[in-house]
Amino acid sequence: MQARFPGYNHPMQPNSAPNLPRGFRFWASAFYFAFFAASGSFVPFLNAHYQQSGIPLQQIGLLAALPMLMNLFANPLWAAAADAFRLHGRLLTLSMMLAIPAAWLLAHAGGFWALAGLALVYAFAAAPIISLGDHAVTEALGPARYEYGRLRIWGAVGFGLSAWAGGSLMEHFGIQQSVLAYVLMMGLGVFAAAHLPKPRLADAAPFWKGVQILSTDRRWYSFLGGVFLAGIGFSAINNYLILYMRSLGAGEGLFGLGTAIAGVSELPIFFFSTQIIRRWSPRGLIGAAFGALALRLLLISLVRDPKLILLLQLLHGPSFSAVWAAGVNYSSEIAPPGLGASAQSLFGAVLFALAGIVGAYSGGQIFQHWGPTVLFQGAAFLVLCGGLVFWSGRARRAG
């Protein structure tokens, strides 16, 4: 008799995996490692590149916001095209190949308008990569999609290693050299992506029928609503933790160490997410992650010694990595057959783009007028509200 985990639409056998294509785990791990290694060697240093190009701080903020705005529209657009025309594999490799020259040109450009245009082109090309990749991996895993974290862990490894190496290249040679690492690793990523299996489409409903089914599922709205509020909390940390630490007397070196600790904290969460999801279900892990994020924000607001923030960075894994691993599983669970890429893209767009834009702008206003304590405590309250919104979506149909 097949066991059914709480909340899943499909039966699972907890101690077995489907008959996966030969070499699947290798190629999936290689894809995540290569893509995130490429991103880690280039993306974190774009603002420094803009500053070295003589761009004023106010315009740097705009250049940083433009990719999030583009991602909000481009990611669902690419994914919808992949689902509607069954072109998942081709669009994944195409988007990666387009991102390579866009990144190269961005690294060698100067002047606000040239940088803004190329930043938008790069964001458009790169927007769907992780959504389409996650869709390919979770579809191949099928009922064993809870093993996703053990493959995604290689992305955390790749990002951490390449960010360290990219920072050294950036410091000594400029972004024009670190982008070479991006080109190399993204090229390897294209090769790995080409070996990912195509999604099984035999039981897929027509695209617009799938849209209708998803649009009447109350769980989907409560999930995205909760993710949006939690994303504002993540945005507060991503954009303003460094300013808060500097106000407490810390330098960039201490912040960099905290970032490294946060990266290390992702590894056990991704590795053990298989067992956690088996025991708690994706819904349970998402709820626990929201609680960890709210606690993290609250404790940050109370700290007055910046060195203590290093300890709090250990909560990055139980908050962000848990939300991501469980959210990818939950999106795959809710999505009707044939609409998986669109569901993954909307999850990512809401968490990173929509919540990132709102959190960055509103957080800056709160930080300036009321200070970091109010910012982080207010964000913690929003995350708790997000948990309530998420848990309200138990009924299957909306309305």
Side-chain angles (χ1 to χ4, degrees):
M1 181 177 179
Q2 290 176 312
R4 187 180 293 271
F5 286 109
Y8 272 81
N9 294 329
H10 306 290
M12 293 186 177
Q13 293 180 350
N15 296 315
S16 65
N19 294 322
L20 297 173
R22 185 177 181 181
F24 163 73
R25 286 187 172 85
F26 171 80
W27 291 116
S29 301
F31 164 75
Y32 284 122
F33 181 88
F35 170 69
F36 281 99
S39 299
S41 66
F42 177 66
V43 176
F45 311 107
L46 280 174
N47 283 353
H49 169 54
Y50 300 151
Q51 189 176 48
Q52 291 177 358
S53 300
I55 304 300
L57 287 177
Q58 185 176 7
Q59 291 184 338
I60 289 176
L62 182 57
L63 289 173
L66 285 175
M68 290 190 288
L69 184 62
M70 174 60 77
N71 185 283
L72 183 61
F73 299 100
N75 195 351
L77 181 64
W78 279 90
D83 282 336
F85 300 105
R86 311 305 191 219
L87 296 173
H88 301 86
R90 292 182 180 180
L91 291 186
L92 173 60
T93 54
L94 175 62
S95 63
M96 297 180 76
M97 288 188 291
L98 290 176
I100 293 174
W104 178 269
L105 292 172
L106 181 59
H108 290 82
F112 174 76
W113 292 109
L115 289 169
L118 288 169
L120 287 172
V121 171
Y122 172 74
F124 177 82
I129 295 174
I130 193 59
S131 297
L132 294 177
D134 282 345
H135 174 61
V137 170
T138 54
E139 282 292 300
L141 288 171
R145 68 173 72 93
Y146 47 74
E147 294 187 13
Y148 162 82
R150 290 190 176 178
L151 302 174
R152 173 60 174 79
I153 192 175
W154 290 102
V157 173
F159 189 91
L161 292 176
S162 67
W164 172 77
S168 180
L169 288 172
M170 178 73 184
E171 183 177 356
H172 292 93
F173 305 106
I175 202 170
Q176 291 79 12
Q177 295 300 317
S178 64
V179 77
L180 293 175
Y182 178 91
V183 172
L184 173 62
M185 296 310 301
M186 189 66 88
L188 294 175
V190 171
F191 187 70
H195 286 79
L196 293 178
K198 297 179 181 179
R200 297 181 295 270
L201 302 174
D203 58 347
F207 176 73
W208 290 111
K209 178 63 176 178
V211 171
Q212 180 182 4
I213 294 172
L214 187 62
S215 65
T216 57
D217 194 331
R218 183 178 176 183
R219 297 173 304 168
W220 184 241
Y221 295 104
S222 62
F223 171 59
L224 291 184
V227 163
F228 170 70
L229 293 174
I232 293 177
F234 286 124
S235 180
I237 295 174
N238 294 339
N239 290 288
Y240 300 107
L241 181 60
I242 186 172
L243 300 183
Y244 180 44
M245 292 181 67
R246 291 184 67 182
S247 72
L248 297 176
E252 284 76 6
L254 192 65
F255 176 76
L257 178 58
T259 303
I261 292 173
V264 170
S265 73
E266 292 190 17
L267 303 182
I269 300 302
F270 278 129
F271 185 80
F272 291 109
S273 63
T274 299
Q275 290 89 335
I276 299 172
I277 292 175
R278 282 175 177 171
R279 181 178 295 272
W280 292 358
S281 82
R283 283 179 61 85
L285 183 53
I286 291 172
F290 281 17
L293 176 58
L295 177 63
R296 182 184 178 192
L297 288 160
L298 178 61
L299 292 177
I300 288 174
S301 74
L302 300 176
V303 165
R304 296 298 179 263
D305 182 351
K307 293 180 181 178
L308 294 177
I309 293 180
L310 299 181
L311 293 176
L312 300 182
Q313 288 293 77
L314 292 173
L315 289 172
H316 174 77
S319 53
F320 171 75
S321 301
V323 164
W324 188 256
V328 166
N329 273 269
Y330 196 60
S331 298
S332 181
E333 169 192 323
I334 294 178
L339 210 68
S342 296
Q344 297 291 353
S345 71
L346 288 171
F347 166 49
V350 169
L351 180 62
F352 294 122
L354 182 60
I357 293 170
V358 173
Y361 177 77
S362 60
Q365 300 300 311
I366 295 172
F367 193 101
Q368 180 177 356
H369 293 96
W370 293 287
T373 299
V374 174
L375 169 62
F376 291 118
Q377 290 183 0
F381 176 75
L382 285 181
V383 172
L384 291 177
C385 292
L388 294 176
V389 171
F390 172 64
W391 281 103
S392 71
R394 291 185 176 273
R396 180 172 178 78
R397 296 291 178 183

